[in-house]
């Protein structure tokens, strides 16, 4: 699985104007692991047109506060310094796919 990102690493990605799907999680969140697998499949489906990162809210509380995270899992779709969408709770893979597809089609990715 992917490592958890820090505030500095996330800032670098956002400065690069990369479309980022951030999963705000904590290690004790069992359902969050299922979300990871969905997004690994979606990255392949969308031919890696976005970066998927995991952020442990217990290790990075300042990021949880910055992005107004109140529960896990929460998926935040970020581009540049903008938060385009926060999805709190669990959704189906199809629902995530539709949201990501719309973001890829409407976001100018360099």
């Amino acid at each position: 699985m992917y490592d958890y990102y820090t505030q500095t690493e996330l800032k670098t990605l956002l400065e690069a104007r990369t479309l980022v799907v951030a999963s705000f999680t904590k290690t004790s969140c069992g359902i969050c692991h299922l979300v990871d697998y969905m997004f690994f499949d979606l990255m392949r489906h969308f031919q890696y047109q976005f970066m998927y990162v995991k952020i442990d809210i217990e290790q990075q509380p300042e990021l949880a506060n910055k992005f107004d995270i109140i529960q896990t899992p929460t998926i935040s779709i970020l581009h540049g310094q903008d938060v385009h969408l926060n999805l709190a709770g669990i959704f189906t893979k199809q629902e995530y796919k539709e949201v990501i597809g719309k973001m890829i089609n409407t976001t100018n990715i360099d």
Side-chain angles (χ1 to χ4, degrees):
M1 284 294 159
Y2 286 21
D3 290 330
Y4 291 99
Y5 274 63
T6 65
Q7 185 168 359
T8 303
E9 292 166 326
L10 181 61
K11 182 180 180 210
T12 300
L13 278 179
L14 296 176
E15 287 173 351
R17 309 272 313 149
T18 302
L19 181 62
V20 175
V21 175
S23 176
F24 288 89
T25 185
K26 53 186 171 180
T27 55
S28 63
C29 176
I31 197 77
C32 296
H33 300 294
L34 294 175
V35 172
D36 288 343
Y37 287 112
M38 285 189 234
F39 275 98
F40 296 146
D41 286 344
L42 290 172
M43 280 194 315
R44 284 190 297 276
H45 174 79
F46 287 110
Q47 300 174 346
Y48 301 92
Q49 294 181 63
F50 67 91
M51 287 286 301
Y52 178 71
V53 301
K54 295 175 14 174
I55 299 166
D56 186 325
I57 65 169
E58 293 172 329
Q59 297 297 317
Q60 301 292 323
E62 67 283 353
L63 284 175
N65 289 332
K66 178 179 179 177
F67 293 104
D68 297 321
I69 306 304
I70 57 172
Q71 74 178 63
T72 60
T74 294
I75 300 296
S76 293
I77 300 175
L78 315 166
H79 187 249
Q81 298 302 314
D82 300 324
V83 177
H84 288 276
L85 186 63
N86 274 343
L87 299 169
I90 187 73
F91 293 83
T92 67
K93 185 176 173 182
Q94 183 62 35
E95 290 170 318
Y96 288 133
K97 181 179 177 182
E98 290 172 10
V99 169
I100 297 298
K102 287 178 186 174
M103 287 306 304
I104 287 171
N105 290 329
T106 60
T107 304
N108 182 16
I109 303 172
D110 299 326

